[in-house]
Amino acid sequence: MALLVDSSVWIDYFNGIITPQTDYLDKVLGQSPVVLGDLILVEVLQGFRSQPDFEAARDALLRFPILEMVGVEIALKGAENYRALRTLGYTVSKTIDCIIATFCIENKLELLHADRDFEPFEANLGLVAVMT
């Protein structure tokens, strides 16, 4: 099963912040299949202030397979998942996290993240997250 890494982990990784998630990412790079979503690519790259850092990160990230995450199917399923969680009393604060979680569920991808928005998807909708 391929691993999709959320921007919450990539941002810490590029900033040199050591967390269980960045340690895990460092361990699996080159050892296991890692993929990147186009939306995550945007989230990560938009935060770089300097052009050289942006270019270095862009070049590094473009070495991974890039998956297009949003289409009509994922948009509809994401809305269903959001509504299902809302019925259970959870409000996902970021639409993009709903899309990422739904994309992983539908495409049977593991997710490495450091974002609490994904926890209701794990507990209720079958999101497989890497436990660190």
Side-chain angles (χ1 to χ4, degrees), residues 26-128:
D26 197 48
K27 183 175 74 173
V28 301
L29 285 174
Q31 305 298 316
S32 300
V34 173
V35 297
L36 189 66
D38 56 356
L39 296 175
I40 295 167
L41 182 66
V42 171
E43 283 189 309
V44 174
L45 292 179
Q46 70 188 4
F48 285 94
R49 288 188 172 92
S50 81
Q51 189 65 23
D53 288 345
F54 168 82
E55 290 172 4
R58 180 197 62 207
D59 294 347
L61 291 172
L62 289 177
R63 291 185 183 129
F64 296 98
I66 308 293
L67 306 177
E68 294 182 13
M69 300 184 80
V70 182
V72 174
E73 268 185 56
I74 295 297
L76 293 172
K77 188 64 180 173
E80 290 173 14
N81 287 344
Y82 181 91
R83 294 179 74 245
L85 290 176
R86 192 107 187 249
T87 300
L88 296 171
Y90 300 101
T91 301
V92 180
S93 64
K94 293 176 266 176
T95 300
I96 197 164
D97 288 345
C98 186
I99 292 167
I100 291 166
T102 300
F103 182 81
C104 287
I105 293 165
E106 295 301 307
N107 290 282
K108 298 178 179 27
L109 297 169
E110 290 181 310
L111 178 64
L112 177 62
H113 70 87
D115 187 330
R116 292 178 34 187
D117 261 353
F118 295 112
E119 292 172 4
F121 291 92
E122 293 173 54
N124 299 286
L125 299 176
L127 175 64
V128 177

Side-chain angles (χ1 to χ4, degrees), residues 1-18:
M1 182 179 290
L3 176 68
L4 185 100
V5 180
D6 182 53
S7 59
S8 59
V9 178
W10 282 118
I11 291 167
D12 285 346
Y13 189 80
F14 281 117
N15 285 319
I17 298 170
I18 298 170

